[in-house]
Amino acid sequence: MTTIETGQATAHHERLVDEYSAHNYHPLPVVVAEAAGAWVTDVEGRRYLDCLAGYSALNFGHGHPALVAAAHRQLDRVTLTSRAFGNDQLGPFCAELAALVGKQQVLPMNTGAEAVESGLKVARKWGYEVKGVPEDRARIVVAAGGFHGRTISIVGFSTDPDARGGFGPFTPGFDVVPYGDPHALRAAITPDTVAVLIEPVQGEAGVVVPPAGYLAAVREICDRAGVLFVADEVQSGLGRTGHVLATRGAGVDADVYLLGKALGGGIVPLSAVVADAAVLGVLRPGQHGSTFGGNPLACAVGRAVIELLSDTGPRGMLAAAARLGEVAADRLAPLVGHGVVAVRRSGLWAGIDVDPRLGSGRDVAERLVSRGVLVKDTHGSTIRLSPPLVVTDDEVALAVDALAGVLAELP
């Protein structure tokens, strides 16, 4: 075992990652060793308030006792069977998630990108078998600025040059329109269109909230054209916006929901496509699958997540996200015009545009580290604020006050 001198642990781990890990991330200089609730502790013993929450995978905080207990119970029983056999967690998980979302069937997968890819496959197959689109002509409309994962098909319709550059040739069949523009969406629909894939709130783009009425317009356009409305709720779903689904929070129901991140409670990867049988029923044995999809360990944790989200009372997770989001909004509002150009918010989720004359989002994130707060930058001068839903009022205030302090010290 390597002996690490006091105060050198961070540098040691960073050297190992630099030498042996592919350089596909540029992390902040923090190496986490322990975590609980909304706080993490690094290898040097320093504590930080986690205001990223694993891009919403940790909506319920680090080590939520109900989720950890569910994982421990299942670890002692069985963790994996593959779908070659059944397991006693899969059926209850699918039934409970279907009930939570208000749909009939669930296709369990592992990661958010897998859920999106599965949703795209299902939409195409539905288009051929149900809508009657000629073979190999199905098209799907997507929105500029969207983020749906990192697979070849997905980055092929990304408008982010970093995500897309150098990975072609790409999968055909996608039409990109401006986000929030129903007229452009309507014009892009053709007889070969089978689905519209939309994030109800664009997370990676900087918590971009669509104009009022946009999601309702998407629903109306899909209905008139006879195509599927597929809502990517991998980041926005399962409590982040103060609702089980951000789409439903806007009073709109999609045909297909793509879920992930928080569904695994920050413990195991777990994602799902959720829709009615008229859509998911196009899949038959041998046409799609996953070795780990629907494994008993993930399903057991997912069931505990569903139980947490089923509490719609004033002390539940959804109510907490809505209330704490208002607390954050009240604290952030005075910063606009004082180092902040704009704030966009949905529940306990905010995109904060820093005045680029003061510095980049990365500059702000690095300075917040020294104040014990962890955030993530995106697209130049934007940072995202998305603490776990178990955060307290005082902790939200601490995060925003730290941001105010950083802005005040920038040149």
Side-chain angles (χ1 to χ4, degrees):
M1 180 179 293
T2 302
T3 301
I4 305 171
E5 294 182 14
T6 303
Q8 296 301 310
T10 298
H12 168 75
H13 287 283
E14 289 181 330
R15 280 195 301 271
L16 290 176
V17 170
D18 185 62
E19 182 173 356
Y20 295 107
S21 172
H23 295 178
N24 58 322
Y25 279 90
H26 182 204
L28 293 168
V30 175
V31 178
V32 176
E34 298 179 16
W39 291 84
V40 301
T41 304
D42 74 2
V43 289
E44 314 282 3
R46 296 176 295 232
R47 296 181 75 237
Y48 304 87
L49 180 62
D50 180 2
C51 290
L52 179 63
Y55 304 97
S56 290
L58 288 154
N59 276 1
F60 314 107
H62 296 272
H64 189 289
L67 305 183
V68 171
H72 276 298
R73 286 194 300 270
Q74 193 60 40
L75 278 167
D76 289 334
R77 298 178 66 244
V78 58
T79 59
L80 178 66
T81 60
S82 85
R83 292 296 302 278
F85 316 105
N87 71 73
D88 65 358
Q89 296 299 312
L90 175 62
F93 165 73
C94 290
E96 290 159 15
L97 183 58
L100 181 73
V101 174
K103 297 292 185 185
Q104 294 172 333
Q105 291 188 344
V106 171
L107 170 62
M109 300 298 289
N110 305 290
T111 67
E114 283 182 282
V116 174
E117 284 278 359
S118 300
L120 297 176
K121 288 177 70 176
V122 167
R124 283 182 171 182
K125 202 162 193 300
W126 175 90
Y128 298 133
E129 295 191 3
V130 178
K131 188 181 178 186
V133 172
E135 186 176 356
D136 293 338
R137 282 175 46 180
R139 304 198 66 81
I140 296 174
V141 182
V142 298
F147 180 85
H148 304 281
R150 301 283 189 180
T151 63
I152 287 290
S153 292
I154 292 169
V155 301
F157 57 77
S158 172
T159 55
D160 181 350
D162 287 337
R164 178 185 172 91
F167 297 115
F170 298 117
T171 307
F174 298 95
D175 300 304
V176 184
V177 299
Y179 184 68
D181 185 343
H183 304 294
L185 173 58
R186 187 176 288 108
I189 301 288
T190 74
D192 292 337
T193 302
V194 298
V196 175
L197 170 65
I198 295 288
E199 289 172 277
V201 178
Q202 289 190 324
E204 181 69 17
V207 193
V208 178
V209 181
Y214 174 64
L215 295 179
V218 173
R219 177 72 275 172
E220 183 269 334
I221 292 166
C222 289
D223 286 342
R224 284 183 176 273
V227 304
L228 299 175
F229 179 2
V230 182
D232 180 347
E233 298 248 18
V234 171
Q235 281 199 62
S236 62
L238 308 181
R240 175 54 57 186
T241 67
H243 303 275
V244 171
L245 299 164
T247 315
R248 295 269 177 80
V252 177
D253 186 25
D255 298 299
V256 180
Y257 289 103
L258 310 177
L259 303 175
K261 293 194 185 295
L263 192 58
I267 297 175
V268 288
L270 176 61
S271 64
V273 181
V274 189
D276 284 338
V279 177
L280 279 175
V282 301
L283 291 180
R284 287 173 283 281
Q287 295 179 342
H288 189 61
S290 165
T291 299
F292 281 84
N295 71 78
L297 177 59
C299 287
V301 174
R303 294 181 67 190
V305 166
I306 293 165
E307 186 172 356
L308 289 177
L309 290 169
S310 298
D311 181 356
T312 57
R315 301 179 67 85
M317 291 289 179
L318 303 179
R323 186 185 63 78
L324 288 163
E326 294 293 338
V327 172
D330 290 344
R331 306 282 305 199
L332 288 167
L335 300 185
V336 177
H338 297 86
V340 170
V341 175
V343 174
R344 295 170 300 280
R345 185 187 64 85
S346 182
L348 189 53
W349 196 18
I352 304 162
D353 294 339
V354 176
D355 188 335
R357 295 173 298 179
L358 298 179
S360 68
R362 176 75 184 198
D363 294 332
V364 173
E366 288 177 346
R367 288 174 179 259
L368 281 169
V369 168
S370 66
R371 291 174 176 264
V373 174
L374 302 181
V375 300
K376 184 68 174 71
D377 60 290
T378 186
H379 294 283
S381 59
T382 300
I383 59 172
R384 287 162 291 179
L385 189 70
S386 57
L389 308 185
V390 297
V391 77
T392 66
D393 293 40
D394 288 345
E395 288 164 346
V396 170
L398 183 155
V400 179
D401 288 350
L403 174 61
V406 167
L407 295 173
E409 70 186 17
L410 288 171

